Amino acid sequence: MKTRVTIWHEFVHEKSNPDVRKVYPDGIHGHLAKALAAPDLEIRTATLEEPEHGLTKEVVDNTDVMLWWGHAAHDKVADDVVRRVQERVWEGMGILCLHSAHMSKIFKALNGTSGKLHWREAGEKERLWTVDPAHPIAAGLPEHFELPYEEMYGEPFMIAEDAHVVFMSWFEGGEVFRSGFTLKRGNGRMFYFRPGHETYPTYKDPNVLRVLANAIRWAKPVLSAPYPKTHSPEPLEPLSQKDYNPGKAGIIR
Amino acid sequence: MKTRVTIWHEFVHEKSNPDVRKVYPDGIHGHLAKALAAPDLEIRTATLEEPEHGLTKEVVDNTDVMLWWGHAAHDKVADDVVRRVQERVWEGMGILCLHSAHMSKIFKALNGTSGKLHWREAGEKERLWTVDPAHPIAAGLPEHFELPYEEMYGEPFMIAEDAHVVFMSWFEGGEVFRSGFTLKRGNGRMFYFRPGHETYPTYKDPNVLRVLANAIRWAKPVLSAPYPKTHSPEPLEPLSQKDYNPGKAGIIR
Amino acid sequence: MKTRVTIWHEFVHEKSNPDVRKVYPDGIHGHLAKALAAPDLEIRTATLEEPEHGLTKEVVDNTDVMLWWGHAAHDKVADDVVRRVQERVWEGMGILCLHSAHMSKIFKALNGTSGKLHWREAGEKERLWTVDPAHPIAAGLPEHFELPYEEMYGEPFMIAEDAHVVFMSWFEGGEVFRSGFTLKRGNGRMFYFRPGHETYPTYKDPNVLRVLANAIRWAKPVLSAPYPKTHSPEPLEPLSQKDYNPGKAGIIR
Amino acid sequence: MKTRVTIWHEFVHEKSNPDVRKVYPDGIHGHLAKALAAPDLEIRTATLEEPEHGLTKEVVDNTDVMLWWGHAAHDKVADDVVRRVQERVWEGMGILCLHSAHMSKIFKALNGTSGKLHWREAGEKERLWTVDPAHPIAAGLPEHFELPYEEMYGEPFMIAEDAHVVFMSWFEGGEVFRSGFTLKRGNGRMFYFRPGHETYPTYKDPNVLRVLANAIRWAKPVLSAPYPKTHSPEPLEPLSQKDYNPGKAGIIR
């Protein structure tokens, strides 16, 4: 059975900035759909401007792994769509939050944090170090790899304490950053990956694409069915047989 | 300087259920304010029915540690008040989520999870085990202590992976539960403590009160001032001096 | 390619206690080798009494997942064999520590803790709760399952903080315990599983066998090759060109 | 009551290398004892060459926080002294592992890992970023601070998964590193701090000294007394009253 992937993209910069359009003529979502295509994946895309942002209940319920890229329009994403996505993660759906999605509603809702960081756009060099080489997301990646031009994100990065760091970045301008980390929320898995500024062809880099391809396979749901409601495994006497004595330690209702 | 504590309580059951009123004539908030009174604390209370639920910007900004008890009216808590409380936690305020607050908006927002669990109300015995005796919240607590009658909460409990467990419960009916755990979100600390069903005098138990007293001291803010915005520590050449070449790896803006 | 499994057993109780021999006539190792046999596994056994405890460099180097059961003879295991096993875990080998292996040298070496706990042997009921139903080790397991007679292990259990708990136990006598947890050390994975006292037929229970079978598949190495030694990715001026000035901040060698 | 601090130093380089002696004429231990002196601390030192390395049972039992610097002579430290120190950590003693102590026996024993990393000695610039500004060890530290000349340590750094990172380093030569992290083992706390190569006056840097001073206060024991041995809190029928039936699920002993 194929893994059902939905690539969600706000798709704003490509329409307002001709330089971004030159890098991604089909949008970041369109580009990634082609670049990540594989026999074991069934990929579709969805964008902000579609009804319910393209994330109807039917689409979300039938997604195994979602990718999320947003930046300029985080506030335009409806709260009930975010809740739908989050609840699906709790059920087991995987989600990859990309680059500036660190300030998206869904990233903050899953981390429980602000997602704040320091940043600078100066087209500087970024070098990513593989901190956990034995993680499935790092499979086939070198010890370190470089992106010649990227936006800088710097620490402190306000993320959940249980962020398991797979990649760390070194920046030409002097900063460090936890650039790739995993979380588990309910039955579902999240992966955040930092690189991917819209004005650079980062998503054409083979190492970056390999990280995303690995992460999709890693984030697939393990479990789909919820547990049935349970009853007491041990025999308990009925409430009414116990003393009612609110003054001491008693049962009241 | 005193630690400024705000005890927030939805204050619903005491008004609708005479049995609860018998246990807590002044409300759970009123009871806790008296029971936790100490020279190093400045305690105030706030309830759902007050304007802005008693949690105005001024109150929240001047709170070091907040206690939160809610159950019947989670949905009636305004989203912007929840956001205000959460942002204050990120700044450094401590928060104690009590009993059925596991389904409150603030608990879910800080965990990033659903807070779901199994439950049963049968007035059964609960025994709490001190799993991390070296934690400041466990100071002075015995290896285990009992509550003769409590509601049961059972695993799996949907909480964040980085929950550090201090207390675990054994229930007469056969379940186990992670009853006391800590989280850190941004600069602030959270502690969840399970016991405290409104129909039993749990908050009169000396061990329970000791846990809460310890947790208030542990949750006090360490840091209050935010960092200033930073600039590149290393010299970077101006953007314009780099090649512009979107077809390869170039700078666009 | 098959997963190469080595089941290590101290094999002491079966020889000294006829009651244990009745339950496991072929030893726990012999029983498990048969009970866990599967087309994707290549299983061998090793025991304390063999030269180098059956864990020669060749055996260890050619093991993907090791199972470890010990109790009466922890101290008789040679330190250099323990080091060999630990270094192989760091390289990527998986290891399952079973029952009283909580006090084995390898368990303590991987946790960095004493492994201490409370215990009682009274043939009481144990109920295991699946705390993380989405973990691969929990695949196919029910929400909870029971063992009618087992030894009791109780909290506090001195294990590493990063123990990720998959199963928790409830005991008839009133205790709770983190009965199944995972660790990662270097490139290798560890799983500890509590049940398995030698006087009860615990390893004949289908749920227990399923946990072990799942854990073997989960613990398989992800990575085998170490990284090459690296050199500075950024150009650095030779040491000799910098000032030597030990009184201030200088370079000395 | 004063916090009893023992600074342990192998004290080898100062005797063999005149350049190191120029930086630390009294040895790193002697220097730190003076530089960290404070009214709330009672500081003593101990070195490798003393009987039992200066870490007799009496010294260790009466230490609240130990500092450990070693490099050239890790193998010369007796195993039973390491075990004594580790067991004292489990009881509640704090320990600070400094710089090349990442390969010491005690560091590896507490992490359960190899402590391996990449390194280069080129007298390059190190910049430390405060990743968790709300941690007590970071109190009073700036967002980032620099050391003009240091040895480089690079990722991947083989440490325990539960390492809570407080500081991260950026190196002039292009690497990143988790330079300051905490662990908890048993009742005791550990802090590792990377900078401190013997040929540079790193321990004269005010920020470095502040980190160590903070860490000593943070690592003080919370608990000293062990728990008493426990008995079953719930009534259990005597073993003999249960059926003995090894063929099914029975009690054997």
Side-chain angles (χ1 to χ4, degrees), chain D residues 8 64 95 113 143 177 213 218 230:
Chain D
W8 189 88
D64 295 315
I95 188 163
T113 63
E143 186 190 36
F177 196 71
W218 168 84
T230 54

Side-chain angles (χ1 to χ4, degrees), chain B residues 127-142:
Chain B
R127 179 179 299 108
L128 290 104
W129 289 88
T130 304
V131 167
D132 182 1
H135 197 285
I137 295 181
L141 271 298

